[in-house]
Amino acid sequence: EREIERKREREREDMAPRELKPASIFDRRVVLRAFEENGIKDVHAHRMWRHLIHKGVTNFAKIPDMPKRAVELLEKEFSIRTTKLVKATESNDQSTTKLLLELQDGHRVETVIMRYGSHCLASFPEDYLRKTEEGEVVFKGSKRATVCVSSQVGCQMGCTFCATGTMNLIANLTAGEILEQLYVANQYEKIRNVVFMGMGEPLDNYESVVGAIQGMKDVRWFSLRGQRISL
């Protein structure tokens, strides 16, 4: 076991950080550093994120009161979507939607949206089901949606029961790539909860995962309560 752990540690050290070109607009540290280097105030970055996330703006030039040089920098160096949606697959009962996303380097990860409170699932215990006056069986609970996000391409934990574990670790996702999964999922459903149960071991990509969680909780960003995020 010690030898396996030493091997994993060497693999982590040898893996160079991935640099995206263009970079993700949701990589907060990268954006703020670029703004600082170009003499642009942080307040413009926060205005941009508010309009992208809360107002649905998809064009940097359409953001009100943005300095021209900020727009030029954003259009040159950053992208709202560094990932490409390859395929969206819905379950028969429409309770889940699996999104297959392709990263800039061609690797692919999966993100799953899970809906509760509005769908009757055969696997639910009878105690959690109720019948309407018309005899229709429905799930007893509040309507909500959870997204399951990936944090790595592959995984080096080697769990034999997990398909991702057989891939070995290929790449760590950036904080922006993790947050993009939430951004995309919100275009399908209003997401209330996030679980890091997709591809990868989140604690093995600690800095990016912490950065993503900070963005999820920030009231100027996705404004999720901490107890609604499961790591």
Side-chain angles (χ1 to χ4, degrees), residues 45-75:
H46 294 299
R47 181 186 300 113
M48 170 200 64
W49 285 316
R50 184 172 67 252
H51 279 79
L52 295 180
I53 297 171
H54 297 288
K55 298 185 180 297
V57 176
T58 57
N59 186 326
F60 296 130
K62 299 289 186 181
I63 300 172
D65 302 320
M66 285 292 285
K68 182 179 178 181
R69 58 178 173 166
V71 174
E72 291 174 348
L73 173 66
L74 293 170
E75 291 178 340

Side-chain angles (χ1 to χ4, degrees), residues 12-76:
R12 281 193 289 266
E13 292 174 353
D14 292 341
M15 182 168 292
R18 294 169 61 242
E19 293 187 7
L20 307 183
K21 293 185 179 181
S24 172
I25 201 62
F26 298 111
D27 268 319
R28 187 199 309 248
R29 287 188 296 180
V30 178
V31 173
L32 293 180
R33 183 171 65 244
F35 270 44
E36 181 181 5
E37 291 173 351
N38 287 271
I40 303 170
K41 294 181 179 179
D42 289 359
V43 65
H44 299 301
H46 294 299
R47 181 186 300 113
M48 170 200 64
W49 285 316
R50 184 172 67 252
H51 279 79
L52 295 180
I53 297 171
H54 297 288
K55 298 185 180 297
V57 176
T58 57
N59 186 326
F60 296 130
K62 299 289 186 181
I63 300 172
D65 302 320
M66 285 292 285
K68 182 179 178 181
R69 58 178 173 166
V71 174
E72 291 174 348
L73 173 66
L74 293 170
E75 291 178 340
K76 179 182 178 182

